[in-house]
Amino acid sequence: MKLEFPKDFWWGAATSGPQSEGRFNKQHANMFDYWYEVEPEAFYKQVGPDTTSNFYNSFKEDIRLMKEIGLNSVRTSIQWTRLIDDLETGTLNEDGVRFYNEVIDEFIANGIRPVMNLHHFDLPVELYHKYGGWENKRVGELFANFAEQCFKLFSDRVTDWFTFNEPMVIVEGEYLMQFHYPKIVDGPKAVQVAYNLVLASAKAIQKFREVNTNPKGRIGTILNLTPPYPATDSPEDKKASHIANLWLNRLFMDSAVHGELPEELAALFDSEGVLWESTPEELAIIKENVIDVLGINFYHPHRVERPEFSSNSLAIDWLPTKFWKDYDMPGRRMNHDKGWEIYPKAVYDIGMDIKENYNNIEWFMSENGMGVSREERWMNADGVIEDDYRISFIQEHLYWLHKVIEDGSNCFGYHLWTPIDCWSWANAYRNRYGFISNNIHTQIKTIKKSGYWFKGVADTNTMELTIHVEGAENFKPVTSL
Ligand code: BGP
């Protein structure tokens, strides 16, 4: 079966500044740089952010490889810690400006659309020490000032901007589940941080509306949507799943697209005594500064069941949560290397949700991918990794993406995480996601089989489906999450 995609579809891949550039010449440490300095053993094989791929030095060669595999668009991020010298006054770092100018120009010269994100888990650590990071609304103001500098410098050539990558991961990682520094477990703080991130994104959008002069310019945010599916049809499991959806997905989706935080969630937090602090002026900024375009990162769904116990403290109860519990569905398909369930049909459910509940806003799949360890297991005599599992993984997700586009969802692109194997936070280089492998000792980069395959798809705007897609034969649409 051949699947044809809409005209001008984005075929691309995503990375981020802190995961690809290396620390070279950066003026400030971000949260991960600092965490590595104080606790290197928290990182796989003690490989830290100073050993990320070498994009700062090798971007011309890297972009040439991205072109070679047919990418027509690539997302990366501008690092606050590289572009700005004085974080309070926003003075620019000359080398940072030069670097991002050259990167943007190089992408364009190679026929690749540069898609720019402004925050990818890389808060300057000084702002954490001085203000408590995202707990403090002042940091959101400083972020909006940084964003303004980026728009002024680059929006003559960059038309597609995104404020945050996966704000919920900042909340969960830093304030609930301890996988990002400062590894706090504090429900009320997490709620306030979530609100502050919503506000910071709206303030950056406000700046964009003020300073962008490019008529093609548009701005959005990148959210990791994890559709929750209840373990059973019982009212208790369904309620748990509904609340999980309010927090995990709707908090950021509703505020980004509709300019409103979900009332039901606010009422729930209010009754728990942990409602975020907001002012009418802030809520007006959120209402007035909604996004033009949406990026959705999708890796895995959430299976949810009723919570096991409950106390009076949201902070104590959050792990496992007071309102729901993660459910290990028997027989689910797993990527065991990463520990994530593989459930491509969720792409259809996400697309329909956007169509029906979010004004059918234009969106693209901004990340999707499969982290696999020890990929050299599949290296052939020519040194090419034969990652057929990745090709199948992408095919299945693209099958459902194509189906939801056919059914009217306004999706304009697909980006794999990631073009070239890059550094994965505390997992360092354990799991590899790229179309292109990277030997971090020699910096030799080699296109994988999936890279050659993807070029064929991108060049023809058509995908030949060569595998069986689970669930496609008895597909019944679920149109609401
Ligand atoms: C997403 C992040 C990426 C990337 C990816 C893979 O959540 O936006 O930065 O890292 O996940 O996950 P991991 O690196 O944890 O394997």
Side-chain angles (χ1 to χ4, degrees), residues 173-201:
E174 295 188 17
Y175 290 93
L176 294 173
M177 296 174 182
Q178 301 184 292
F179 56 89
H180 286 190
Y181 189 82
K183 301 186 287 169
I184 292 168
V185 182
D186 188 323
K189 273 191 182 169
V191 171
Q192 189 62 48
V193 164
Y195 172 82
N196 291 353
L197 289 168
V198 166
L199 181 62
S201 178

Side-chain angles (χ1 to χ4, degrees), residues 53 58 113 165 186 203 238 256 272 351 369 386 389 413 460 464:
S53 312
S58 61
R113 177 191 297 258
N165 179 75
D186 188 323
K203 285 192 170 170
K238 280 182 161 169
E272 295 287 333
E386 298 194 338
Y389 45 86
T460 58
E464 175 89 51

Side-chain angles (χ1 to χ4, degrees), residues 297-358:
N297 294 354
F298 173 70
Y299 290 91
H300 60 86
H302 254 99
R303 307 275 174 195
V304 172
E305 63 186 340
R306 71 198 83 181
E308 261 167 9
F309 61 85
S310 154
S311 77
N312 286 327
S313 160
L314 196 59
I316 293 167
D317 257 355
W318 212 304
L319 276 182
T321 70
K322 186 164 184 168
F323 304 108
W324 77 88
K325 180 172 174 276
D326 287 342
Y327 166 65
D328 292 341
M329 187 179 79
R332 64 191 179 149
R333 191 148 55 109
M334 293 294 292
N335 168 8
H336 289 287
D337 284 353
K338 178 65 190 167
W340 280 344
E341 180 180 348
I342 299 176
Y343 185 62
K345 190 185 156 286
V347 170
Y348 185 89
D349 298 339
I350 289 171
M352 285 317 264
D353 190 34
I354 295 171
K355 180 183 167 194
E356 292 179 354
N357 300 315
Y358 294 99

Side-chain angles (χ1 to χ4, degrees), residues 216-232:
K216 291 192 179 144
R218 56 184 184 168
I219 189 158
T221 193
I222 306 266
L223 302 179
N224 53 313
L225 275 200
T226 46
Y229 297 97
T232 70

Side-chain angles (χ1 to χ4, degrees), residues 19 120-121 165-166 297 299 338 340 367 417 424-425 433:
Q19 291 173 275
H120 205 119
F121 315 153
N165 179 75
E166 302 186 345
N297 294 354
Y299 290 91
K338 178 65 190 167
W340 280 344
E367 282 181 35
W417 184 266
S424 264
W425 315 113
Y433 288 84

